[in-house]
Amino acid sequence: MKGSNCYRVLIIVAVVCLNHQLLICGADPTDGFIRVPLTDENFDLQKPYNMPLSQRYNYSDGVRSFWVYNKDKPFKPDSGTRPRTEVRIKGHDYSSGIWQFEGYAFVPTGTSGVTIVQIHGAAEGATTLQLRIYDGNMRYYRYNLVATDLYDKWFRVNVIHDVGKGKITVFIDGEEKFVVNDQGPGDLYFKCGVYAAPAKSSNFMESRWRDIKLFKK
């Protein structure tokens, strides 16, 4: 009888461990977050100031296409920044809490030296995070390698910013790829699209985005 009971206990323990392992494997970056509703008014578009929007941006069948040329003008005449065509998530600036950006991105071969998603705002400097594409690979600014082989396919991007802990976590296709300290408090908000890097940018830069979402805790 004692042997039979021990056998049952071992089976129960094994089942519990298996279920726990499945839960860990099946965890999603958005688990525990609340989705923040977004409307068209929350998508504030920025593009070279002298170009019609239709010549640098298209929105069709749920896909937002952003493109820019290396010699394009900045987004306003008095700006000294690099060329961009981006969407700024407007109306949900934050300075505390835990916030998450999610979107599916596509970067065609040849696009290089460009930021495709960023967190704007910091204690010093303009941004807390920039994720750039260089030769098909994603980097934190021009430094740490985040992900590889991203050309010509859709990939899921999740960026979690825990302001209280000063931590940013990047997931690609649901897998945690990079964790870094943020750059201090500020008026923070998410952006995505194409923003030419300070150097080594291709002549033409494009990214496409769909299913852009915002979450918070």
Side-chain angles (χ1 to χ4, degrees), residues 3 9 20 32 36 49 57 76 86 98-99 102-104 114 119 123 126 137 166 175 189 198:
V9 170
H20 181 66
V36 177
Y49 71 84
Y57 170 80
K76 56 184 180 180
E86 293 182 295
I98 307 175
W99 290 77
E102 177 182 89
Y104 288 80
V114 64
I119 299 175
N137 301 321
E175 179 180 351
Y189 53 85

Coordinates of all heavy atoms in Angstrom, one line a residue, residues 3 9 20 32 36 49 57 76 86 98-99 102-104 114 119 123 126 137 166 175 189 198:
G3 N 3.9 1.5 -1.1 CA 4.5 1.7 -2.4 C 3.6 2.3 -3.4 O 3.9 3.1 -4.2
V9 N 2.0 9.7 -5.6 CA 2.6 11.0 -5.3 C 3.6 11.4 -6.4 O 3.6 12.5 -6.8 CB 3.3 11.0 -3.9 CG1 4.1 12.2 -3.7 CG2 2.3 10.9 -2.8
H20 N 3.8 23.2 -15.0 CA 4.5 24.4 -14.8 C 5.5 24.7 -15.9 O 5.6 25.9 -16.3 CB 5.3 24.2 -13.4 CG 6.1 25.4 -13.0 ND1 5.5 26.6 -12.7 CD2 7.4 25.6 -13.0 CE1 6.4 27.5 -12.4 NE2 7.6 26.9 -12.5
G32 N -0.5 39.7 -18.2 CA -0.5 40.5 -17.0 C -0.7 42.0 -17.3 O -0.8 42.8 -16.4
V36 N -4.1 49.2 -24.0 CA -4.5 50.5 -24.1 C -5.2 50.8 -25.4 O -4.5 50.6 -26.5 CB -3.3 51.5 -23.9 CG1 -3.8 52.9 -24.0 CG2 -2.7 51.2 -22.5
Y49 N 9.7 67.6 -44.0 CA 8.7 68.7 -44.0 C 8.3 69.2 -45.4 O 7.2 69.7 -45.6 CB 9.3 69.9 -43.2 CG 10.4 70.6 -43.9 CD1 10.2 71.6 -44.8 CD2 11.7 70.4 -43.5 CE1 11.2 72.3 -45.4 CE2 12.8 71.0 -44.1 CZ 12.5 72.0 -45.0 OH 13.6 72.7 -45.6
Y57 N 4.7 57.7 -47.1 CA 4.0 56.8 -46.2 C 2.7 56.3 -46.9 O 2.1 57.0 -47.7 CB 3.5 57.7 -44.9 CG 2.5 57.0 -44.0 CD1 2.9 56.1 -43.1 CD2 1.2 57.3 -44.1 CE1 2.0 55.5 -42.2 CE2 0.3 56.7 -43.2 CZ 0.7 55.8 -42.3 OH -0.2 55.2 -41.5
K76 N 11.0 69.1 -39.7 CA 10.6 70.5 -39.7 C 11.8 71.4 -40.1 O 13.0 70.9 -39.9 CB 10.0 70.9 -38.3 CG 10.9 70.7 -37.1 CD 10.2 71.1 -35.8 CE 11.1 70.8 -34.6 NZ 10.4 71.2 -33.4
E86 N 8.0 58.6 -39.4 CA 7.7 57.8 -38.2 C 6.3 58.1 -37.8 O 5.7 59.1 -38.1 CB 8.6 58.2 -37.1 CG 10.1 57.8 -37.2 CD 10.9 58.2 -36.0 OE1 11.0 59.4 -35.7 OE2 11.4 57.3 -35.3
I98 N 4.6 50.7 -15.8 CA 5.2 49.7 -16.7 C 4.4 49.7 -18.0 O 3.2 49.5 -18.0 CB 5.2 48.3 -16.1 CG1 5.9 48.3 -14.7 CG2 5.9 47.3 -17.0 CD1 5.8 46.9 -14.0
W99 N 5.1 50.1 -19.1 CA 4.4 50.2 -20.4 C 5.1 49.3 -21.4 O 6.2 48.9 -21.3 CB 4.6 51.7 -20.9 CG 3.8 52.6 -20.1 CD1 4.1 53.1 -18.8 CD2 2.5 53.2 -20.4 NE1 3.1 53.9 -18.4 CE2 2.1 54.0 -19.3 CE3 1.7 53.1 -21.5 CZ2 0.9 54.7 -19.3 CZ3 0.5 53.8 -21.6 CH2 0.1 54.6 -20.5
E102 N 3.9 46.9 -28.7 CA 4.0 45.7 -29.6 C 3.6 46.1 -31.0 O 2.8 46.9 -31.3 CB 3.0 44.7 -29.0 CG 2.9 43.4 -29.9 CD 1.9 42.4 -29.4 OE1 0.7 42.5 -29.8 OE2 2.3 41.6 -28.6
G103 N 4.3 45.4 -31.9 CA 4.0 45.6 -33.3 C 4.7 44.5 -34.1 O 5.7 43.9 -33.7
Y104 N 4.2 44.3 -35.3 CA 4.9 43.3 -36.2 C 5.6 44.2 -37.3 O 4.9 45.0 -38.0 CB 3.9 42.4 -36.9 CG 3.4 41.3 -35.9 CD1 2.4 41.6 -35.0 CD2 3.9 40.0 -35.9 CE1 1.9 40.7 -34.0 CE2 3.4 39.1 -35.0 CZ 2.5 39.4 -34.1 OH 2.0 38.5 -33.2
V114 N 19.3 52.4 -39.7 CA 18.0 53.1 -39.5 C 17.4 52.6 -38.2 O 17.4 51.4 -37.9 CB 17.1 52.9 -40.7 CG1 16.7 51.4 -40.9 CG2 15.8 53.7 -40.5
I119 N 12.0 54.6 -27.9 CA 11.4 55.3 -26.8 C 12.0 56.7 -26.7 O 13.2 56.8 -26.5 CB 11.5 54.6 -25.5 CG1 10.9 53.2 -25.5 CG2 10.9 55.4 -24.4 CD1 11.2 52.3 -24.3
A123 N 16.5 61.4 -19.2 CA 17.0 62.5 -18.4 C 18.1 63.3 -19.1 O 18.1 64.5 -18.9 CB 17.6 61.8 -17.1
A126 N 18.0 62.7 -26.2 CA 16.7 62.7 -26.7 C 15.9 61.4 -26.5 O 14.7 61.4 -26.5 CB 16.7 63.0 -28.2
N137 N 20.5 43.0 -39.2 CA 20.5 42.6 -37.8 C 20.0 43.8 -37.0 O 20.2 45.0 -37.4 CB 22.0 42.3 -37.4 CG 22.5 41.1 -38.1 OD1 21.8 40.1 -38.4 ND2 23.8 41.2 -38.5
G166 N 13.7 51.1 -13.8 CA 14.7 51.6 -14.8 C 15.2 50.6 -15.7 O 16.4 50.6 -16.1
E175 N 10.4 36.0 -27.8 CA 11.6 35.5 -27.0 C 12.4 36.7 -26.5 O 12.7 37.7 -27.2 CB 12.5 34.7 -27.9 CG 13.8 34.2 -27.3 CD 14.7 33.4 -28.2 OE1 14.2 33.1 -29.3 OE2 15.8 33.1 -27.8
Y189 N 7.6 58.4 -24.7 CA 6.6 57.9 -25.6 C 7.3 57.0 -26.6 O 8.5 57.1 -26.9 CB 5.8 59.0 -26.2 CG 6.6 60.1 -26.9 CD1 7.0 60.0 -28.3 CD2 6.9 61.3 -26.3 CE1 7.7 61.0 -28.9 CE2 7.6 62.3 -26.9 CZ 8.0 62.1 -28.2 OH 8.7 63.1 -28.8
P198 N 22.8 58.3 -37.4 CA 23.8 59.4 -37.7 C 24.8 59.1 -38.7 O 25.4 60.0 -39.4 CB 24.5 59.6 -36.3 CG 23.5 59.1 -35.3 CD 22.8 58.0 -36.0

